Structures are given as C-alpha cells and as structure tokens.
C-alpha cells in the first residue's frame, strides 16, 4: 500500500456536510431541532422513555452519577480495563472507583469478580461494552438488583450492540453513548444519555443547561448546572449517519469476517463473540502472544503504512490512579494488564477498502 491506512476514519458523506452547512447558514447553532431529532432517534431505537443529548460521552457518565446522588465516600465498581474516562467520571463526583478484572476473551468485566468488590459503600456499577461487544449485562443486572446498585451502562463504543436481542444502553438505570470520531457514528464530540426515569431525565436536562428548569417558559435557574449541551450542527452531522447505521455495521461486520479468515499468525488471538451477543466493531482488537511485542508490532505496521494502537488502558496502572491507590495492577488485575500491554487495535471503519484488510492481514501474518 502506497497510502497510509488510518486506525479509523469517520464515514462522513456529502449529505452530512450539507446538513451541517444548513445549520451554519441558519445562524441557530446551539441546541435546537436537530438535537431534538437525534434524541428521538436514539429514544425510539433503544425503546426507552428519554434520550438526552450532551456535549460528550464523559459528560453523560458525570451527570448519571450526579443525579444518582453518588458522591464523596461512595464506591462505584468499574472494569480495570476501559478508556480512562469511565473511572475519571467517578473521581469527578468525589467517589471511589473500585476496579474489577476483565474476561480476557471478551475484554469486558468478569462477572465472577463483581460481588467480591461490593461493600456497604458500593452504590453503583459501570459495566462497559468494550470495543462494541455487549458485556454479560443480564447477570450483572441480577447482581445489581440483589445489592440495590444503580447500573450506568458505558456503551460509548457500542451503538447497535445487543444482548439476547435487546439494545445495550437499555438495561440499566442509565445508558451512556459517545459520538466521538472513533465511534460508529460521530458528531465530532457528543454524547447521549438514556433513562426511563422521569425524575432523572428532568434533572439531567436541567444540569446540562446551566441549571435552567426545562419545563418553564421563563428562565428559572433551579440548580447550579453545567454547559453540557450538544450544538445543533453536531447533531445535524450525526443524524444522517444514524439513518445509515445498519449499513455501517453491516460493512464493518464484513470487514471483520475478512480479518477472521485471513489472519493466521499463531501468536495473534482474534476477538471472541459469545452466542448471545453481536459485535459492532468500534475496534478490531487483537491480543499479541509472545514472541510478538506490542511496540514492535505497532512500529512494523507503521513502516508498512498501517495505523494501530493499544485499544484501552489498564486504568489503575495509569499515573494518576497508581499514585493515588498504589495498586500493583499486574498482580491484582492480570487480565486487564495483559489486555493493555499486549492488546492491539487495528484499522476498522465502514469505508475501509476490503483490499486494505487483506493487506493488513498479510503484514500481520509476516511478523
């Protein structure tokens, strides 16, 4: 390949650009009709009562924790392997993230590790649907109900993923989605928070807009809120992509099928998909076994014009969390540590040419 193959490339087409340009020409740039239309699309798709557009996927987690009343001294169980925002949101409300190891086959939280982490201070769990694969959310929900815990599903990567046929993000008290450029559809930055609870929904709508009561015609500040609104041109960018979501996911599934057929390096472990789940392939994440080393493989791929990177972090091993909690992650969370240090995300996006996937597979086989 003479041109560089990026890790990801948003599938924005001319119609998406036209939709954004229309909003820019209108002069009505802040949260408006397009944001409302995108909310309705998410609400209908996930069969929930409320979908609330926010500025990004971290804001969704932050507000879900806040409106749940979670704060200083409370504990929230999170997977030890995820994007760091999952735990950062817990820190932002003054609560303590309690880490649980993952299942190395799925890269999702290991359900068998959860109950040992529950104490009298545990108030919630944030299961992550990592890389677009649903975690075992029904068993997690049973544990949460038994211990009276709130579930905030971190479905940032998993728009379109299902568990036993039901969309992720609709199982817990909250479903959190990101619209970052690495996701299946993007608004540049943006997020969507789902809930079936009327009280939670009103408080989220209030807090996202400086604390203004959303039910009053006049401006009445009833909370000390944030500016967590989604702009209308961001929503316009995502709307057309949402209409194409099935085609986007179908394309990525076909490309994943090529990877499965073509990657034959005995030192590479390919993704695993449980029978009750589908995969939406936010990332095609492989695991490297010795003698393959992560940094060397990344460099080899780069020299062959292929983008790659580690997929997520072992959060307690990151500088802030290590300095604060002093956890030996390699010992306490061996699967999360291995996924971080030996995992690799390789190119995956809906407009990735099939010939590029064959080429990437060939290079990986040669290492």
């Amino acid at each position: 390949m003479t041109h560089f193959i990026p890790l990801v490339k948003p599938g924005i087409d001319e119609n998406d650009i036209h939709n954004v340009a229309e909003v820019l020409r209108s002069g009505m740039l802040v949260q408006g009709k397009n944001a409302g239309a995108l909310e309705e699309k998410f609400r209908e798709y996930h069969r929930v009562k409320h979908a609330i557009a926010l500025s990004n996927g971290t804001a969704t987690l932050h507000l879900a924790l806040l409106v749940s009343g979670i704060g200083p001294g409370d504990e929230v169980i999170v997977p030890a392997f995820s994007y760091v925002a999952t735990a950062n949101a817990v820190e932002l409300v003054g609560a303590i993230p309690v880490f649980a190891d993952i299942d190395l086959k799925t890269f999702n939280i290991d359900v068998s590790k959860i109950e040992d982490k529950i104490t009298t201070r545990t108030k919630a769990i944030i299961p992550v649907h990592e890389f677009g694969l649903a975690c075992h959310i029904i068993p997690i929900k049973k544990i949460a109900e038994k211990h009276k815990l709130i579930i905030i599903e971190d479905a940032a990567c998993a728009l379109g993923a299902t568990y036993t046929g039901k969309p992720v993000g609709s199982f817990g008290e909250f479903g959190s989605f990101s619209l970052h450029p690495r996701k299946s559809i993007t608004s540049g930055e943006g997020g969507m928070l789902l809930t079936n609870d009327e009280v939670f929904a009103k408080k989220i709508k209030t807090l996202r807009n400086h604390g203004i009561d959303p039910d009053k015609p006049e401006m009445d500040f009833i909370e000390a809120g944030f500016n967590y609104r989604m702009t209308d041109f961001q929503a316009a960018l995502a709307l057309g992509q949402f209409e194409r979501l099935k085609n986007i996911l179908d394309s990525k599934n076909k490309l994943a099928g090529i990877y499965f057929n073509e990657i034959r390096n005995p030192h590479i472990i390919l993704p695993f998909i449980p029978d009750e789940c589908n995969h939406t392939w936010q990332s095609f994440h492989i695991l490297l076994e010795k003698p393959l080393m992560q940094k060397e493989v990344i460099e080899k791929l780069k020299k062959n014009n292929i983008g790659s990177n580690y997929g997520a972090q072992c959060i307690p091993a990151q500088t802030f969390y290590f300095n604060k909690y002093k956890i030996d992650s390699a010992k306490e969370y061996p699967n999360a540590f291995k996924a971080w240090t030996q995992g690799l995300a390789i190119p995956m996006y809906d407009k990735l040419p099939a010939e590029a996937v064959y080429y990437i597979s060939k290079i990986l086989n040669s290492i």
Side-chain angles (χ1 to χ4, degrees):
M1 284 282 176
T2 57
H3 62 279
F4 186 74
I5 305 168
L7 182 61
V8 69
K9 185 176 181 181
I12 295 168
D13 66 16
E14 289 301 317
N15 188 59
D16 301 327
I17 296 169
H18 170 76
N19 290 342
V20 172
E22 276 200 334
V23 177
L24 297 178
R25 292 189 187 100
S26 76
M28 302 296 290
L29 306 187
V30 296
Q31 180 180 292
K33 66 178 184 179
N34 287 288
L38 187 61
E39 288 175 331
E40 185 61 16
K41 295 283 186 188
F42 267 80
R43 190 194 66 76
E44 289 181 351
Y45 185 87
H46 294 91
R47 302 187 291 277
V48 295
K49 292 181 180 177
H50 302 280
I52 303 150
L54 298 170
S55 54
N56 56 65
T58 307
T60 60
L61 295 173
H62 187 206
L63 290 191
L65 289 161
L66 280 177
V67 303
S68 298
I70 294 169
D74 295 332
E75 294 177 350
V76 179
I77 296 171
V78 300
F81 180 71
S82 178
Y83 188 63
V84 73
T86 307
N88 282 355
V90 178
E91 293 280 345
L92 287 172
V93 299
I96 301 165
V98 176
F99 300 104
D101 207 0
I102 61 163
D103 179 344
L104 203 51
K105 289 175 69 176
T106 64
F107 303 109
N108 285 322
I109 193 167
D110 185 339
V111 178
S112 71
K113 305 291 186 183
I114 294 173
E115 285 203 271
D116 287 345
K117 302 293 181 178
I118 297 173
T119 72
T120 56
R121 296 196 294 174
T122 309
K123 297 295 187 295
I125 179 169
I126 306 180
V128 179
H129 305 289
E130 195 62 64
F131 303 133
L133 176 68
C135 68
H136 290 295
I137 187 65
I138 290 178
I140 292 170
K141 188 170 183 177
K142 289 178 181 177
I143 293 171
E145 289 171 348
K146 175 182 174 182
H147 295 277
K148 298 181 171 56
L149 305 181
I150 286 174
I151 292 179
I152 302 168
E153 290 179 71
D154 186 340
C157 301
L159 178 60
T162 61
Y163 188 86
T164 62
K166 183 178 179 181
V168 302
S170 63
F171 288 87
E173 280 75 17
F174 302 94
S176 166
F177 292 86
S178 170
L179 299 176
H180 181 271
R182 281 194 66 181
K183 313 312 182 201
S184 291
I185 71 170
T186 183
S187 56
E189 289 285 1
M192 193 70 69
L193 187 56
L194 311 183
T195 185
N196 283 311
D197 189 286
E198 299 285 343
V199 175
F200 285 158
K202 178 173 180 179
K203 193 152 190 177
I204 293 161
K205 291 175 183 176
T206 301
L207 289 173
R208 75 170 168 180
N209 191 22
H210 298 289
I212 297 172
D213 190 333
D215 296 333
K216 290 184 179 179
E218 70 275 10
M219 196 177 291
D220 183 10
F221 295 87
I222 60 174
E223 298 273 2
F226 307 88
N227 181 358
Y228 278 172
R229 300 183 302 255
M230 178 185 288
T231 65
D232 225 40
F233 57 87
Q234 286 176 305
L237 179 60
L239 267 171
Q241 295 169 69
F242 196 99
E243 296 289 346
R244 304 193 300 274
L245 180 61
K246 184 180 184 303
N247 291 337
I248 290 170
L249 298 182
D250 286 347
S251 295
K252 293 204 287 185
N253 264 306
K254 289 176 183 176
L255 296 173
I258 298 174
Y259 277 136
F260 276 111
N261 288 330
E262 296 298 317
I263 296 175
R264 302 188 184 93
N265 190 317
H267 304 296
I268 292 176
I269 299 174
L270 298 176
F272 171 77
I273 309 169
D275 291 339
E276 60 270 28
C277 306
N278 72 325
H279 208 310
T280 59
W281 304 114
Q282 180 265 348
S283 293
F284 194 93
H285 190 264
I286 59 178
L287 196 64
L288 305 174
E289 295 286 6
K290 292 180 180 180
L292 300 186
M293 304 301 290
Q294 187 187 62
K295 289 181 180 179
E296 284 79 357
V297 173
I298 289 172
E299 188 59 31
K300 175 76 171 180
L301 292 172
K302 184 179 178 181
K303 287 180 179 177
N304 284 276
N305 286 326
I306 301 166
S308 63
N309 207 341
Y310 59 86
Q313 296 86 38
C314 178
I315 302 174
Q318 305 311 302
T319 299
F320 169 79
Y321 289 95
F322 178 76
N323 288 343
K324 185 170 183 178
Y325 298 107
K326 299 294 191 295
I327 299 172
D328 182 350
S329 295
K331 179 180 178 182
E332 295 296 324
Y333 315 109
N335 289 345
F337 194 81
K338 186 173 182 179
W340 175 47
T341 56
Q342 295 177 227
L344 191 67
I346 58 177
M348 173 58 77
Y349 46 96
D350 68 303
K351 289 186 168 55
L352 179 65
E355 56 266 30
V357 179
Y358 284 105
Y359 171 72
I360 295 163
S361 302
K362 178 182 177 182
I363 298 300
L364 284 171
N365 289 336
S366 72
I367 300 174

